Amino acid sequence: MSTEEQTERLLKAWETPRGWRYWSAVNNSEVGLWYTLTAFAFFLFGGVLALIMRIQLAVPDNNWLTPDQYNQIFTMHGSVMMFLFAVPILEAISIMLLPEMMGARDLPFPRLSAYGFWCFLIGGIFVCGSLFFGVGPRGGWFMYPPMTTEYQTGVGPDIWLLGLSFIEVASIAAAVELIVGALKCRPPGMRLNLIPLYAWYILVVAVMILFAFPPLIAGDLLMELERALDWPFFDADRGGDPMLWQHLFWIFGHPEVYIVFLPSIALVAMIVPTFAKTPMAGYGWIVLAAVGTGFLSFGLWVHHMFTTGLPGITIGIFSAASEAVAIPTGVQIFCFIATLLIGRVTKSVCLLFVLAGLATFIIGGLTGVMVAIAPFDYQAHDTYFIVGHLHYVLVGGTIFPIVAGFYYYYPFVTGKQLSERLGTLAFWLMLIGFNVAFFPMHLSGLWGMPRRVYTYPGGMGFDLPNLISSGGAFVLGAGFVVLLWDVLRPKGKQPLVKRNLWNAGTLEWSGQVPDKPWGIRSIPIITTRYPLWEQENLLTDIDEGKFYLPDAEEGLRETMVTSTVDAEPMQCLRVPGPTFLTMFAALFTGGVFIFSTYHWWIAAGISGLLSFGTIVTWLWTGTALIPEKATKDVGRGLTLPTYVSGPSAVGWWAMFITMLGDMTAFVSLVFGYFFYWTVHDTFPPTEFDGRSVAGPGVFWPLATIGLSVIAWGSVIAARHLNRRDRPVGFYLSLTVSVTSAGLAAASLFWGPYANGMDPTHHVYSASVCVLVLWTIVHLVVGVVMLLYCGARRLAGRMDATHDADIVNVTLYWHFLVLTVAMTGCVIGLFPLVA
Ligand code: HEM
Ligand SMILES: [Cu+2]
């Protein structure tokens, strides 16, 4: 078969739709690009808000903005920068780059990435839009209650809670995708110790997202229940405690700063070796340090709460832990510096931004070491010193490396190059502007200027530093205008760059210029960390289709799945192509959140049904399809299965990872319950406010556990019977499990209901009810999944050998039965021992 014919078939299979259908694309390069541009647009929006604040603060006693406007603007600035820019842009860049770095044709779930993108776009516009109607949230980016519960009416906080929860779900979806992508979609031979450093960082970060975002989502749920239904989680009058929010928020919030820092450093880890022309020194150390940072960052959150009156011992421990994180961070920076010293460095704008980023981050790190010392923090807390510190870390650790990445990867995306001259200008404007803007904040902070104030009185020593800051902010802004101009200016006359113009060693640069939509012409065997430097004739062999999957005989999109550690070929995975379903699914899901904000319950309900219908259609037509042949010759004499189920299937991994995140959110709710137990003398209380406080009793929670175990057992039986091809037994087991799951949900509801529990009465009742609510929703989802499996088998889309659906659903049920058991024990049995 001639290679031209192969090329043509491949191109046809991977063709990006044209015209208005372009927006149905799901390919990682398209979605990644949209995602990046959207996140960058939100960054510019957040930046404009920052400049507005700086105009307001330039002179004392200014009343250009009202206090209320200022509050909305600083809240939105922080929230946009963190939730709509910093996290999404890194996921976006990874969606675009990760498959290319690993010689994969696409990520394992292209439609999931597309869905995540549309959710992000819709949610982001909704959240930002509130500002233009003057109804934006006003509680700062950490939304502390009771400010945001008792004292803020209107929809502002609801927009924050629901809009951002919606986006967090999208972030988690991307994290799942990236984890599975990094673990399962590598080229043959690329063992874990050969993967690009970028992939390691993304793996660490995605896992962090998986464990950090769910506590926040749990917190959002609690606060929204308090705001919408008056369940008193944070209301001290009824036993609630605002501190729980602070814990949940910062269990998310501290890892968050590493979630935005590590992927940027990952870009640095790709750029440094290229410009030093030598492999990265200390690969193993860097990986260890990245993993270490990830772990440690979950044990530091209390340093944001030093001034809340916690016991001294707690403060001491968290202070020490906070200092400790400087060690792995330092290790990484030393490795970068060492590589630059060993290598022969070429000068370039990218590298300038890398160096500026490292230097700025180090300064921010040093003020971080200062504020991690509790007595110092007592002084600096809630002053401009903190604002100075956090921007040094964020801009040094995130913005400058991302700009470096922009210069580095711009040719990869467009085939054109950004101007070194304009780049140098932008660099100096940004570096000088940044320091002039933010250094004085340390001083005004130490002199006593609080943060989050819309103005300050003259003559207290704040005038000059603020004026200087504002001037610097505009110089910094000018730097971004230059960058933006460089990106947008027409480059029609500029010739296309040559292939791999930086002479990089990593696989993403194997793409042709202009790039083809197929990701890679054939999937190579990788034996080194810098294949383009170290593997002879790699590019020619790839181009000539000498490696795997050089053809698309069936006209389908295919990529390879390999084993987790050793990257041995396991499956030829068919990935789905363009569809509008994901966009509609996101629109309808968005509707649920947006309508709920305004308490338009009917509209929210309809939107929910539509979203459900769309998602089911998407799954039904796009996942676990029975292939036309069981195996496929993928080239070089290798034959791989086209369908697998169980732990070797990517879908199984996605379910497993998603459920880890889901469990984390649930555990956060359980944590809340026990948190209340620790702050009350008697919990559960016997009576409150002249009324006795009811509990759910023992019987019904235990009955729920029993029924769920029956349901779970029948799910397992159903899976076995399906595999043995006993349809009658299969449907029977399914019926048993659906029925007992339904009864379990009913009995879980019945306990609190029959005992007359009133969730608005006391925080105890509320925390029982939220666990019940969570578990019932999960039972209902479990039932829906079972019905889906039944329908699949009836429709001939699942059979004895093609059983991925029921296998994945069984996995869900393992987690579900654990959830039910924990809920039952906590609400039913714990009161007996408490
Ligand atoms: C154009 C550059 C920027 C300027 C001039 C700027 C300015 C400011 C100012 C003046 C505040 C304090 C508001 C107050 O306390 O009253 C602030 C807060 C904040 N900024 Fe920035 N900022 C910039 C870029 C960024 C970036 C890139 C990020 C994150 C990636 C960021 C994240 C935050 C956060 C999280 C807060 C805290 C908001 C709060 O207190 O709730 N900023 N910024
Ligand atoms: Cu922190």
Side-chain angles (χ1 to χ4, degrees):
M1 212 166 299
S2 80
T3 40
E4 280 82 59
E5 282 172 68
Q6 291 187 341
T7 316
E8 220 157 275
R9 271 194 296 267
L10 263 182
L11 274 183
K12 184 130 188 50
W14 288 93
E15 193 178 27
T16 308
R18 269 184 265 269
W20 58 276
R21 297 201 138 264
Y22 173 70
W23 300 105
S24 69
V26 294
N27 191 296
N28 75 296
S29 32
E30 254 55 45
V31 173
L33 187 62
W34 304 340
Y35 221 138
T36 310
L37 294 177
T38 310
F40 193 63
F42 284 128
F43 169 73
L44 295 178
F45 179 67
V48 170
L49 295 182
L51 293 182
I52 294 176
M53 290 194 284
R54 281 317 325 169
I55 295 176
Q56 165 68 18
L57 293 173
V59 289
D61 298 309
N62 197 355
N63 55 10
W64 181 58
L65 293 177
T66 63
D68 185 55
Q69 282 170 333
Y70 188 86
N71 290 350
Q72 293 187 33
I73 289 176
F74 84 70
T75 301
M76 201 56 99
H77 164 72
S79 307
V80 165
M81 286 297 189
M82 298 309 265
F83 294 103
L84 301 184
F85 165 68
V87 177
I89 197 156
L90 295 159
E91 294 189 317
I93 295 177
S94 308
I95 287 176
M96 190 154 72
L97 293 180
L98 192 71
E100 319 288 332
M101 288 179 182
M102 309 212 298
R105 290 251 161 78
D106 205 331
L107 284 164
F109 315 105
R111 290 184 174 180
L112 187 65
S113 335
Y115 175 71
F117 163 72
W118 292 111
C119 287
F120 167 59
L121 179 70
I122 296 164
I125 292 175
F126 170 63
V127 172
C128 293
S130 64
L131 209 52
F132 296 99
F133 300 95
V135 295
R138 287 159 290 169
W141 88 285
F142 35 79
M143 279 275 133
Y144 281 175
M147 177 90 92
T148 45
T149 46
E150 262 177 69
Y151 301 109
Q152 279 183 28
T153 48
V155 292
D158 305 303
I159 290 175
W160 193 97
L161 292 165
L162 292 168
L164 292 180
S165 296
F166 176 48
I167 291 166
E168 284 145 25
V169 172
S171 291
I172 294 178
V176 171
E177 170 94 302
L178 292 170
I179 297 175
V180 183
L183 289 180
K184 303 294 295 176
C185 299
R186 304 205 300 268
M190 191 190 267
R191 299 190 314 267
L192 264 187
N193 64 344
L194 295 183
I195 67 177
L197 282 168
Y198 189 88
W200 268 116
Y201 275 105
I202 293 308
L203 205 55
V204 171
V205 167
V207 171
M208 289 173 70
I209 290 181
L210 200 66
F211 291 109
F213 276 50
L216 178 61
I217 293 178
D220 289 352
L221 174 69
L222 298 183
M223 199 192 286
E224 193 49 41
L225 283 173
E226 171 151 352
R227 288 186 54 87
L229 303 177
D230 196 29
W231 295 17
F233 295 106
F234 308 119
D235 177 2
D237 287 343
R238 285 177 287 165
D241 190 340
M243 286 288 281
L244 178 64
W245 170 266
Q246 295 204 17
H247 282 295
L248 291 177
F249 186 88
W250 290 114
I251 289 175
F252 147 79
H254 187 81
E256 160 85 353
V257 302
Y258 287 92
I259 288 171
V260 308
F261 163 66
L262 291 175
S264 308
I265 287 301
L267 287 170
V268 172
M270 298 310 274
I271 296 172
V272 162
T274 299
F275 289 102
K277 299 197 204 65
T278 176
M280 180 69 85
Y283 177 96
W285 285 102
I286 293 183
V287 172
L288 220 66
V291 175
T293 313
F295 268 106
L296 270 181
S297 71
F298 280 89
L300 310 182
W301 80 89
V302 169
H303 66 210
H304 297 271
M305 301 163 63
F306 281 160
T307 56
T308 53
L310 288 166
I313 179 82
T314 315
I315 289 181
I317 290 172
F318 278 93
S319 178
S322 305
E323 304 295 8
V325 83
I327 297 169
T329 314
V331 167
Q332 299 167 64
I333 291 175
F334 282 130
C335 289
F336 300 153
I337 296 175
T339 309
L340 288 171
L341 290 179
I342 300 168
R344 283 167 294 123
V345 175
T346 3
K347 262 177 51 185
S348 84
V349 172
C350 293
L351 207 56
L352 286 180
F353 276 104
V354 164
L355 295 177
L358 292 180
T360 311
F361 182 80
I362 290 172
I363 298 177
L366 289 177
T367 52
V369 167
M370 290 164 75
V371 290
I373 300 168
F376 182 87
D377 188 61
Y378 295 157
Q379 295 301 312
H381 186 75
D382 266 345
T383 69
Y384 259 84
F385 188 88
I386 302 294
V387 180
H389 154 71
L390 76 92
H391 285 87
Y392 268 83
V393 188
L394 287 168
V395 174
T398 306
I399 306 296
F400 285 154
I402 289 180
V403 176
F406 253 69
Y407 277 89
Y408 188 63
Y409 283 112
Y410 188 85
F412 168 86
V413 177
T414 62
K416 302 285 173 79
Q417 210 178 335
L418 291 176
S419 149
E420 289 281 308
R421 218 161 43 86
L422 288 176
T424 315
L425 176 65
F427 170 76
W428 287 111
L429 286 174
M430 286 188 206
L431 185 66
I432 294 172
F434 171 76
N435 282 290
V436 172
F438 288 97
F439 189 78
M441 292 187 190
H442 295 102
L443 299 177
S444 53
L446 287 180
W447 295 336
M449 179 165 164
R451 70 194 275 202
R452 297 179 169 176
V453 288
Y454 90 110
T455 191
Y456 49 90
M460 293 183 68
F462 304 153
D463 308 20
L464 188 62
N466 274 290
L467 190 60
I468 296 175
S469 278
S470 295
F474 276 88
V475 177
L476 174 59
F480 278 101
V481 172
V482 174
L483 170 67
L484 191 67
W485 162 244
D486 199 5
V487 170
L488 296 181
R489 86 196 147 84
K491 299 181 195 62
K493 284 200 211 94
Q494 190 190 328
L496 287 180
V497 296
K498 69 178 177 51
R499 191 177 192 178
N500 189 8
L501 86 158
W502 309 116
N503 288 321
T506 40
L507 210 50
E508 74 273 23
W509 293 101
S510 65
Q512 296 164 7
V513 185
D515 204 10
K516 304 282 197 304
W518 55 42
I520 193 158
R521 175 67 183 77
S522 61
I523 297 178
I525 299 169
I526 294 301
T527 50
T528 68
R529 283 185 192 146
Y530 295 90
L532 296 190
W533 287 343
E534 296 163 354
Q535 284 181 234
E536 256 172 72
N537 290 333
L538 186 71
L539 282 185
T540 2
D541 290 351
I542 290 178
D543 285 351
E544 288 171 3
K546 290 205 175 142
F547 290 114
Y548 297 112
L549 288 175
D551 197 350
E553 295 93 333
E554 295 86 16
L556 295 173
R557 297 185 170 195
E558 292 167 330
T559 191
M560 227 163 164
V561 175
T562 48
S563 64
T564 319
V565 178
D566 290 325
E568 277 161 17
M570 292 177 75
Q571 185 197 357
C572 165
L573 176 73
R574 265 85 188 261
V575 290
T579 176
F580 277 111
L581 278 173
T582 49
M583 186 201 281
F584 284 112
L587 261 176
F588 296 136
T589 322
V592 178
F593 285 91
I594 294 171
F595 295 133
S596 307
T597 310
Y598 298 98
H599 297 199
W600 296 344
W601 301 121
I602 299 179
I606 296 175
S607 204
L609 285 178
L610 287 171
S611 145
F612 174 75
T614 327
I615 291 175
V616 169
T617 316
W618 152 20
L619 295 176
W620 186 270
T621 54
T623 55
L625 304 178
I626 299 182
E628 77 296 341
K629 55 182 176 189
T631 57
K632 170 161 176 150
D633 176 5
V634 295
R636 302 178 77 95
L638 181 68
T639 303
L640 290 179
T642 47
Y643 187 104
V644 295
S645 70
S648 32
V650 287
W652 187 92
W653 279 82
M655 176 64 88
F656 182 74
I657 294 167
T658 309
M659 290 320 289
L660 285 182
D662 183 82
M663 274 311 253
T664 310
F666 171 66
V667 169
S668 309
L669 296 178
V670 175
F671 169 80
Y673 181 100
F674 287 105
F675 177 82
Y676 293 123
W677 172 64
T678 61
V679 298
H680 287 93
D681 293 334
T682 46
F683 191 84
T686 42
E687 71 109 40
F688 175 74
D689 207 12
R691 273 200 286 157
S692 69
V693 179
V698 181
F699 176 77
W700 292 109
L702 290 186
T704 309
I705 299 182
L707 287 162
S708 309
V709 170
I710 298 175
W712 173 56
S714 337
V715 174
I716 296 175
R719 189 193 61 192
H720 279 294
L721 291 163
N722 178 65
R723 196 161 278 179
R724 295 214 197 97
D725 214 4
R726 302 246 185 84
V728 180
F730 168 75
Y731 293 120
L732 216 63
S733 310
L734 226 52
T735 317
V736 173
S737 57
V738 167
T739 317
S740 15
L743 289 175
S747 105
L748 191 55
F749 173 76
W750 191 250
Y753 181 77
N755 285 295
M757 286 188 84
D758 169 10
T760 62
H761 182 199
H762 186 266
V763 74
Y764 166 69
S765 335
S767 32
V768 169
C769 290
V770 75
L771 290 176
V772 166
L773 184 72
W774 180 271
T775 311
I776 290 181
V777 169
H778 280 70
L779 280 164
V780 171
V781 173
V783 166
V784 170
M785 287 181 173
L786 293 174
L787 296 176
Y788 178 83
C789 289
R792 292 285 274 190
R793 170 120 206 173
L794 270 179
R797 284 170 178 261
M798 184 174 97
D799 59 29
T801 40
H802 302 98
D803 63 350
D805 292 317
I806 184 77
V807 173
N808 295 348
V809 168
T810 313
L811 182 59
Y812 173 86
W813 267 87
H814 295 332
F815 284 94
L816 176 56
V817 80
L818 206 66
T819 304
V820 176
M822 274 168 76
T823 300
C825 292
V826 170
I827 68 171
L829 298 182
F830 182 73
L832 301 182
V833 295

